Amino acid sequence: TTSTTTSTTTTTTTTDGPVSTAAPTLNLLDVIVEDKELSFIHLLLGRGGYYPALRDENTIHTVFAPVNSGFDILPVGTISALLRNIPQLQEFVDFHLAAGSYVPLQAGDRINTLSGHVFSVYTPNGILHVNGVRVLDVRRATNGEVVVLEFAFDMDVYEQTSTSTTTSTSTSTSMSESSSTSTSSTTSTSTSTSTST
């Protein structure tokens, strides 16, 4: 006799966006790995050395994860160039990461990313947007949340100049240290480049 158990996750959608009501059992990395539509951001996180930090249960992060088709909005050649240049790749990934939890996302919230930029949250026509990009889903993890985006954030069309350079640089260095010593050094250099812009 074969016994089959089915697990169901309930998602509640509000004007501030969808938020899973199920108790989280997976860490951030596992939540991303579980969804095939997030395989490209998963690749970039791995290439940049972020896996250990996303498994770390002692820190909380928010990951803004574009679906695979959402990378098509970027200029042609952007991703191949990032894959050849790890410091620039880490700068791009830091643009999609924030320390701490920002869920539930609400209109008027401001999000400090690891790259030193500040994003605004708003709800035009009742639809949740972060930095001009529509939020498709919010998935809770044991060490943060994965905010699934319709498109990738484009640093070339960033809406607002950062005003939190010091905090972001400190957080980015801390996250990279949990990956490896060499990754930490590279990430720190990447963040310095971003915040001086």
Side-chain angles (χ1 to χ4, degrees), residues 27 52-61 142-144 174 178:
N27 61 43
L54 297 179
R55 293 191 185 103
D56 187 357
E57 297 289 348
N58 296 314
T59 58
I60 302 296
H61 288 93
T142 54
N143 56 344
S174 174
S178 66

Side-chain angles (χ1 to χ4, degrees), residues 35-102:
D35 189 344
K36 294 180 180 179
E37 284 300 312
L38 302 180
S39 61
F40 207 85
I41 188 66
H42 175 235
L43 169 65
L44 298 183
L45 289 165
R47 194 70 68 89
Y50 292 86
Y51 285 178
L54 297 179
R55 293 191 185 103
D56 187 357
E57 297 289 348
N58 296 314
T59 58
I60 302 296
H61 288 93
T62 301
V63 181
F64 295 93
V67 293
N68 293 341
S69 60
F71 286 91
D72 294 340
I73 196 174
L74 299 176
V76 175
T78 297
I79 297 303
S80 59
L82 291 176
L83 292 174
R84 293 193 301 267
N85 188 317
I86 297 303
Q88 288 186 6
L89 183 151
Q90 290 173 330
E91 182 180 2
F92 177 83
V93 171
D94 283 351
F95 198 58
H96 291 74
L97 295 174
S101 173
Y102 288 88

Side-chain angles (χ1 to χ4, degrees), residues 22-38:
T25 58
L26 303 176
N27 61 43
L28 287 167
L29 183 59
D30 289 340
V31 169
I32 293 170
V33 169
E34 193 177 54
D35 189 344
K36 294 180 180 179
E37 284 300 312
L38 302 180

